[in-house]
């Protein structure tokens, strides 16, 4: 589904990713691990078309994803419908005046009828237990509630693949467990998951593969998740634990 070849990305002040080769198959559950500043968020944003590589190539389902291809409205709509992104900071993602409108925003942009939009929003409000927050302003919600609304807004488009940037960050243990169970059920239903995380306690059994980025933005390990997180000496040497 996803293929990166020789991808590098730089910001004006410093390189972020160096010579990344990565393939992710349909239905995989992949954990993206690395110390702060290793480029995990940059890689997820690149996969979702928010950033573009300085060199190398990115293909999604066999089609090149570039600034030029994403300038094509039909291609961009199809791409963003199939691949959803949960930002690390929910405040960056939420901007509508009500929880209902936040979840409805994506389907409306894709041209769904208001009847279909209402059905999708209702289903997601129920799934996340947000029914009584329907008319609330997202800005006034708690951190955990914002995270639920942000994820619901992503799922409103029913994407085939999800890029999640530290989805457990700032949540209480109960909410982390509930979110972990929900994400596991999404993968069990066939959705591809790529998740930047260091919250190993709450994602046990979810991921089958781990990709580790170094501080320099290079892939230094790609293997079974259980083996990688069990290698405490390696994780400590990489400044991950």
């Amino acid at each position: 589904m996803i293929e990166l070849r020789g991808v590098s990305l730089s910001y004006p002040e410093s390189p972020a990713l160096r010579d990344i080769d990565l393939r992710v198959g349909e239905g995989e559950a992949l954990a993206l691990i690395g110390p702060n500043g290793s480029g995990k968020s940059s890689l997820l944003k690149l996969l979702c078309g928010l950033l573009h590589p300085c060199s190398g190539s990115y293909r999604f389902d066999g089609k090149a994803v570039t600034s030029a291809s994403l300038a094509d409205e039909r291609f961009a709509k199809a791409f963003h419908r199939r691949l959803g992104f949960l930002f690390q900071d929910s405040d960056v993602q939420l901007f509508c005046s009500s929880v209902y409108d936040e979840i409805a925003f994506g389907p409306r942009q894709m041209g769904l009828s208001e009847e279909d939009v209402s059905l999708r929003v209702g289903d997601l409000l129920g799934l996340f237990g947000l029914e009584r927050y329907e008319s609330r302003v997202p800005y006034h919600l708690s951190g955990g509630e914002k995270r639920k609304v942000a994820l619901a807004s992503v799922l409103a488009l029913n994407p085939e693949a999800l890029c999640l940037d530290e989805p457990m960050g700032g949540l209480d243990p109960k909410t982390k467990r509930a979110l972990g169970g929900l994400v596991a059920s999404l993968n069990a239903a066939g959705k591809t998951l790529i998740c930047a995380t260091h919250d190993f306690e709450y994602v046990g059994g979810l991921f089958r593969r781990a990709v580790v980025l170094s501080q320099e933005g290079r892939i230094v390990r790609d293997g079974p998740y259980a083996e990688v997180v069990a290698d405490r000496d390696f994780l400590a040497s990489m400044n991950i634990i």
Side-chain angles (χ1 to χ4, degrees):
M1 176 176 272
I2 289 171
E3 182 179 25
L4 302 180
R5 289 188 177 181
V7 164
S8 294
L9 172 69
S10 293
Y11 297 114
E13 63 276 10
S14 64
L17 299 169
R18 301 173 189 259
D19 199 28
I20 299 293
D21 290 320
L22 179 66
R23 294 171 65 93
V24 182
E26 186 175 352
E28 276 202 73
L30 183 151
L32 193 59
I33 299 171
N36 290 337
S38 60
K40 301 187 299 296
S41 294
S42 295
L43 179 53
L44 292 179
K45 289 176 181 177
L46 187 149
L47 292 177
C48 294
L50 301 178
L51 297 173
H52 303 291
C54 301
S55 61
S57 65
Y58 170 28
R59 303 185 76 83
F60 182 83
D61 202 17
K63 298 178 180 178
V65 180
T66 65
S67 56
S69 66
L70 288 171
D72 182 303
E73 184 177 357
R74 288 181 61 188
F75 178 88
K77 276 192 172 184
F79 174 74
H80 291 301
R81 183 184 289 120
R82 297 182 66 193
L83 196 154
F85 180 45
L86 182 71
F87 283 81
Q88 184 173 355
D89 182 356
S90 297
D91 285 329
V92 174
Q93 194 155 355
L94 304 176
F95 55 87
C96 291
S97 59
S98 72
V99 168
Y100 183 98
D101 286 339
E102 196 70 60
I103 300 172
F105 180 83
R108 284 170 172 165
Q109 293 301 302
M110 294 298 172
L112 271 68
S113 70
E114 201 58 35
E115 181 180 1
D116 287 339
V117 169
S118 179
L119 289 172
R120 288 202 184 191
V121 174
D123 286 345
L124 287 161
L125 289 171
L127 177 64
F128 286 92
L130 292 168
E131 296 94 335
R132 64 193 180 98
Y133 298 97
E134 179 177 347
S135 300
R136 294 274 298 275
V137 179
Y139 179 76
H140 294 149
L141 301 179
S142 70
E145 291 161 351
K146 288 179 181 178
R147 188 61 52 89
K148 291 178 181 179
V149 174
L151 184 54
S153 69
V154 172
L155 295 180
L157 290 174
N158 194 25
E160 298 166 33
L162 290 167
C163 290
L164 310 176
D165 195 356
E166 298 287 358
M168 307 292 183
L171 302 181
D172 61 81
K174 181 179 179 180
T175 304
K176 286 182 180 182
R177 287 191 292 271
L179 183 56
L182 174 61
V183 172
S185 68
L186 292 172
N187 180 242
K191 297 192 184 298
T192 304
L193 299 179
I194 304 173
C195 178
T197 186
H198 63 273
D199 232 317
F200 306 132
E201 179 182 355
Y202 294 95
V203 294
L206 171 58
F207 301 108
R208 293 177 290 281
R209 179 182 169 198
V211 169
V212 183
L213 290 174
S214 70
Q215 192 70 57
E216 294 75 32
R218 299 182 186 275
I219 292 180
V220 293
R221 189 162 176 178
D222 184 345
Y225 175 83
E227 291 182 13
V228 173
V229 299
D231 192 343
R232 311 297 284 183
D233 290 339
F234 168 73
L235 296 178
S237 72
M238 297 299 299
N239 199 31
I240 295 170
I241 60 172

